[in-house]
Amino acid sequence: MINKLEQLKEEAIKKIKEIKNLDALQNLEKQYLGRKGELTAILRGIADLSIDDKKKIGRLSNEVKNELKENFLKIKNIIEARASDASFVDVSLPGKTIEQGSVHPISQMINDLDDLFSKMGFMVLDGPELESDHYNFTALNIPADHPARDMQDTFYIDKENKKGELDMVMRTHTSPMQVRAMQKYGAPLRCVVPGRVFRNEATDATHDTTFDQIEGLMIGEDISLANLSAVLKEVLHGLFDEELEVRIRPGYFPFVELGLEFDVACTICKGAKCPACKHTGWLEMIGAGMVHPEVLKYGGIDSKKYSGFAFGIGLTRLAMMKHKIDDIRLFNSGDLKFLKQF
Ligand code: DAH
């Protein structure tokens, strides 16, 4: 019996020390010291003992009971003190897993393009997403009443400029940076401007209200379409492991004189026609041309001495073709299942 009591004491003390909350502590106390508890069960056998043994066991059981009560009280105090101490950190709790992020496919594309263009001597510039009507349209040879404004419907901002005019827009393209760069750096000039642009669009698999472009501009003496072709070829080769089929056709943009559009054969359906290429097998990827003399003039550059090419690449579409993503809306969806693939 003595052994049993000692064993019970040791076992109970060990368990008390592991307890972390008051409910569990109360249950444990009941289990050992309650009326139907383990100590009472042992003491039931006392009736068959001699008077001396009864005394001995009685004393011992009292000692065990008191010691256990003390232990229960001690742990109860500790648990209560922790509960009222806001700075307490329970180091035994499992940790919070920190999810590892990944570079967004658009950011990856911007990084790759920055590298490629830097190697060819282009500056990488950044421009304002909230742009003036002047730089977004007028200075690009799209005056206020020009129908070409309809091609790029955007979000007009309800805030007057210093002259009291409502002229702030979410930029519809990265092209406004052409004139800003010319004004700041003059000629000769080589720069690219990656960045986010906005349109008031009905969204579908190939159109979103927010997407990315990269603008390119090269100005110098005797710059021609041959230079444009060489630069774009270099970039597409640098970005894609596979050979891309490219189709060039005339295109109209008011800020170039001799405008071109480059379509890339859809890498997703390989010409079989899918929603990503609007069932045509081709994706409009690049608008380009020789910079219009009017635009050079706005940029403060002498169009008799200098000429230049400009291009705007649909950076988001480039990322779609590279990673074979068939819906543009995924990029800004914030969907981790999508983002974790890159
Ligand atoms: N800014 C045009 C667009 O968003 C694309 C573009 C076309 C840019 C021709 C250019 C260019 O620099 O020369 O539709």
Side-chain angles (χ1 to χ4, degrees):
M1 214 171 220
I2 294 177
N3 277 349
K4 269 193 186 167
L5 281 169
E6 290 289 350
Q7 224 176 340
L8 176 135
K9 187 178 90 177
E10 262 172 44
E11 188 190 288
I13 290 178
K14 204 169 137 206
K15 283 191 182 162
I16 293 170
K17 284 186 179 150
E18 285 168 6
I19 292 287
K20 300 252 173 344
N21 68 64
L22 288 179
D23 279 350
L25 192 71
Q26 244 170 22
N27 287 340
L28 197 69
E29 190 163 3
K30 221 188 216 168
Q31 185 192 329
Y32 282 103
L33 304 180
R35 243 186 299 148
K36 290 181 186 159
E38 292 186 23
L39 187 65
T40 324
I42 294 177
L43 290 179
R44 255 186 222 123
I46 211 168
D48 307 328
L49 299 177
S50 67
I51 295 188
D52 266 2
D53 283 348
K54 266 187 195 161
K55 272 191 193 160
K56 224 193 268 169
I57 299 289
R59 209 180 306 125
L60 183 63
S61 69
N62 262 341
E63 276 170 22
V64 170
K65 194 170 170 180
N66 288 338
E67 204 173 325
L68 290 187
K69 273 190 171 169
E70 256 173 49
N71 274 278
F72 276 117
L73 191 67
K74 205 162 87 189
I75 297 292
K76 187 173 169 226
N77 288 339
I78 292 175
I79 293 175
E80 280 174 350
R82 274 180 193 169
S84 58
D85 177 5
S87 66
F88 172 72
V89 177
D90 186 350
V91 291
S92 68
L93 284 175
K96 283 186 193 147
T97 5
I98 297 172
E99 296 258 353
Q100 200 175 5
S102 58
V103 183
H104 192 281
I106 294 293
S107 306
Q108 286 179 27
M109 185 52 82
I110 291 179
N111 292 344
D112 290 350
L113 286 164
D114 286 359
D115 283 352
L116 281 164
F117 280 109
S118 304
K119 278 186 201 147
M120 289 188 279
F122 283 74
M123 287 189 283
V124 179
L125 304 178
D126 197 17
E129 291 177 359
L130 185 57
E131 185 53 282
S132 68
D133 182 290
H134 173 78
Y135 282 108
N136 196 80
F137 294 120
T138 314
L140 289 170
N141 201 26
I142 317 175
D145 55 358
H146 199 287
R149 287 205 173 199
D150 288 348
M151 285 159 47
Q152 299 188 358
D153 189 14
T154 183
F155 303 98
Y156 285 79
I157 304 301
D158 195 9
K159 196 168 177 230
E160 292 175 0
N161 66 9
K162 285 181 195 137
K163 291 186 209 148
E165 300 157 343
L166 281 177
D167 82 334
M168 299 306 275
V169 302
M170 299 303 288
R171 68 174 175 192
T172 55
H173 47 180
T174 42
S175 304
M177 275 304 287
Q178 287 186 27
V179 177
R180 285 184 182 276
M182 287 182 219
Q183 288 176 342
K184 185 159 181 191
Y185 299 103
L189 177 63
R190 269 183 234 189
C191 66
V192 286
V193 191
R196 195 171 287 166
V197 301
F198 310 86
R199 301 266 172 101
N200 183 10
E201 289 271 13
T203 56
D204 61 25
T206 47
H207 296 88
D208 203 350
T209 54
T210 305
F211 54 101
D212 281 75
Q213 292 185 334
I214 183 166
E215 193 75 14
L217 179 66
M218 181 168 180
I219 293 179
E221 291 176 44
D222 298 326
I223 298 291
S224 73
L225 284 181
N227 302 100
L228 169 71
S229 161
V231 167
L232 290 180
K233 217 180 246 171
E234 187 72 20
V235 170
L236 293 179
H237 267 294
L239 284 181
F240 288 84
D241 301 327
E242 57 193 310
E243 197 66 41
L244 292 183
E245 202 183 330
V246 178
R247 166 173 98 171
I248 307 176
R249 39 189 188 96
Y252 170 69
F253 303 98
F255 33 95
V256 284
E257 196 168 58
L258 203 159
L260 299 170
E261 286 194 57
F262 292 69
D263 302 335
V264 171
C266 184
T267 60
I268 297 170
C269 64
K270 303 254 182 281
K273 300 174 183 176
C274 69
C277 57
K278 286 192 260 174
H279 305 281
T280 62
W282 296 93
L283 216 74
E284 288 170 25
M285 188 79 82
I286 305 171
M290 297 305 292
V291 181
H292 197 287
E294 215 33 50
V295 177
L296 289 173
K297 204 156 90 190
Y298 273 111
I301 287 176
D302 179 0
S303 61
K304 292 211 173 66
K305 184 164 181 208
Y306 293 105
S307 59
F309 67 74
F311 59 82
I313 308 181
L315 201 149
T316 308
R317 288 189 178 171
L318 214 50
M320 286 173 80
M321 287 301 107
K322 180 161 170 106
H323 299 294
K324 306 194 171 24
I325 297 165
D326 62 4
D327 196 320
I328 194 172
R329 292 164 292 195
L330 287 165
F331 287 99
N332 292 329
S333 64
D335 184 347
L336 284 177
K337 284 205 287 289
F338 167 70
L339 293 171
K340 277 182 175 169
Q341 300 172 53
F342 305 99

